[in-house]
Amino acid sequence: MAGAGGGTSDVQWCFSQVKGAIDDDVAEADIISTVEFNHSGELLATGDKGGRVVIFQQEPESKNQPQCRGEYNVYSTFQSHEPEFDYLKSLEIEEKINKIRWLPQKNAAQFLLSTNDKTIKLWKISERDKRPEGYNLKEEDGRYRDLNTVTTLRVPVFRPMDLMVEASPRRVFANAHTYHVNSISVNSDCETYLSADDLRINLWNLEITDRSFNIVDIKPTNMEELTEVITAVEFHPNQCNTFVYSSSKGTIRLCDMRASALCDKHAKQFEEPEDPNNRSFFSEIISSISDVKFSHSGRYMMTRDYLSVKIWDLNMESRPVETYQVHEYLRSKLCSLYENDCIFDKFECCWNGNDSVVMTGSYNNFFRMFDRGYRQDVTLEASRENSKPRSVLKPRKVSTGGKRKKDEISVDSLDFNKKILHTAWHPLDNIIAVATTNNLYIFQEKLN
Amino acid sequence: MEVNVEARRILAVSISKLYASRTQRGGLRLHRSLLLSMVMRSARDIYHSSRETEGQTSEEPMETSSKEGCDSEITEDKENMSPTKQSRKRRGKASAAPDFLPSKRARLEPGEERYAAPMGSWRFDPPPTHIAHQGADLHQRSRDRGITGTMVQALRSI
């Protein structure tokens, strides 16, 4: 069995925790919109439609239960974004958190970037477990003492206090995007980051908020000629000059910032020719890429479109090296999915720690894992019914033929309101976080 | 024929989605609008080509049954079949406005006379309630005219 990843053949997943309200009546503000582990995996951040960020911290492994990794408990909760109103355009700006990205930790404090449709914010999350006591000129409650009563000199000392976690906004990067921000990515240099909206990509310095460089602009002179938009952007994990951006046409462009200040001309373009047999009214929609993620090694990148996950080798632009069908049985249902808007759902994808397994979500609260080495895949479900502590998740199967076997679920029985759009994999261990509409499920590898 | 019906249905669904997205919180989503317009364009093209095919098949019985003295009529019918001149000639079944489009005649709901706007101007001059309800304003619409412009052209050519 491999260390961090393991094949799906030998890894059994069991339920660990579920966060969020139990009732079926989902408040819109509680809908989870992004999930992200930090670089060590100790912290897990979620953002929701109400503009809040909730950070969970993993407890240290207890000696009493060595077969169980530490649980995640709430560490900090704060309101990142508020609804705003653009008076010039007469438009409301949603407070929904579109993306959260952690910065690599440099000191005791943690930093993350969170973004809504228009504004990116840098948050500092720091712990306070001591406070100064015994001020010379101040009372314990902070009021200044009458100077006439001060007769001695004393130096304040730090005394322990209950742990307090403070989140404070350190930078606000605003007014740089005309269109809706869909992704952010921190550079490996830890000094700059990218933010992308439908038509433009901006490069920021983390210290400077009043200006940014526009490095990609695909807005046509005449908007009637618009044929594609930017859907995601990501910096290369090791090369600070390289980034990729995906488009609604199913192409991925790799750009090198050393080539020129404006990266409209790509260095590489990754595109797979469309299969003419699969052509339909909805071909453009289902080929739109909803997420792009580099592997940890930086050699590969993964893209998610509506029906599949594709792995690309950065050295080969003509076609992906691997293609995994997430829910091919939906291809014949595209018209219904168009009518109920599900065809516009933007699924994300993620790699495990050693790039051997990839994961993405589907409908009916199913999520899928694809083992690249063993060429195996598994479908699991996040549901309250399977939420007994340490209960092993049973693989699920969707029946596509006429005969439905026992324990299989037919395509027509799938609940398209229960969708898993956001998933995250611990960078080092086999721990995954899966977001249903308003609940966060944490599953761990079964340890014997 | 089935393709024609399907194309019409998809066109109707797309138009209603595009219309509904104007009042969505957060304003018009460019990505979504673009995808909707692409679907509409495909459906419109299929609808057009299938109607032209239907028009050609319905022309044949006329030609075989009344050959003498029908040259002028046939010439007129051919003129009718031409898409550019269709609207000028007398309206046959093929050139009637499709029923999935909203009626051009403004229909006033009781008590809403103050807020009604003529159908033809909806894309540029929305009724005041749209602005109050955070709909896309003229500024936004002129920038995104590409999407709505494409849709309007699609409606005109049907």
Side-chain angles (χ1 to χ4, degrees), chain A residues 180-197:
Chain A
H180 296 99
V181 175
N182 50 53
S183 56
I184 49 177
S185 178
V186 183
N187 202 345
S188 52
D189 65 9
C190 302
E191 289 187 3
T192 55
Y193 76 94
L194 291 173
S195 62
D197 65 28

Side-chain angles (χ1 to χ4, degrees), chain A residues 217-359:
Chain A
D217 187 341
I218 64 167
K219 185 179 178 193
T221 323
N222 183 1
M223 278 296 274
E224 291 200 14
E225 293 163 14
L226 182 72
T227 55
E228 66 180 331
V229 297
I230 297 168
T231 53
V233 72
E234 194 171 59
F235 261 123
H236 191 276
N238 309 318
Q239 297 165 14
C240 58
N241 53 285
T242 306
F243 67 92
V244 294
Y245 67 94
S246 58
S247 84
S248 55
K249 264 188 169 174
T251 62
I252 308 102
R253 292 176 179 88
L254 183 141
C255 300
D256 187 336
M257 295 195 293
R258 297 169 300 186
S260 68
L262 195 59
C263 296
D264 279 359
K265 239 173 137 186
H266 51 267
K268 291 190 181 186
Q269 177 162 318
F270 300 83
E271 191 172 11
E272 185 177 26
E274 190 195 349
D275 181 0
N277 297 328
N278 283 336
R279 184 104 191 105
S280 76
F281 282 120
F282 311 107
S283 295
E284 279 100 358
I285 302 186
I286 63 170
S287 64
S288 176
I289 293 173
S290 51
D291 195 15
V292 64
K293 290 265 170 50
F294 275 105
S295 63
H296 293 92
S297 64
R299 166 81 190 265
Y300 300 97
M301 65 178 174
M302 165 167 54
T303 56
R304 176 70 156 99
D305 51 64
Y306 189 65
L307 295 178
S308 67
V309 160
K310 295 178 182 175
I311 312 284
W312 302 78
D313 185 325
L314 292 193
N315 299 316
M316 187 165 78
E317 300 165 60
S318 55
R319 65 179 188 280
V321 290
E322 295 154 38
T323 300
Y324 301 105
Q325 301 300 333
V326 181
H327 35 220
E328 181 67 13
Y329 46 80
L330 296 182
R331 194 180 287 275
S332 56
K333 310 273 178 201
L334 293 179
C335 198
S336 313
L337 294 165
Y338 180 70
E339 287 179 35
N340 66 16
D341 267 1
C342 284
I343 206 173
F344 296 103
D345 286 335
K346 297 188 169 111
F347 291 95
E348 292 175 6
C349 52
C350 59
W351 298 83
N352 75 335
N354 66 2
D355 300 334
S356 61
V357 185
V358 296
M359 174 168 67

Side-chain angles (χ1 to χ4, degrees), chain A residues 94-95 117 338-339 341, chain B residues 9 14 17 25-26 29 38:
Chain A
E94 277 190 282
E95 67 277 29
D117 284 339
Y338 180 70
E339 287 179 35
D341 267 1
Chain B
R9 200 168 67 80
S14 306
K17 282 187 190 297
R25 237 185 127 216
R29 300 264 158 189
M38 283 177 164

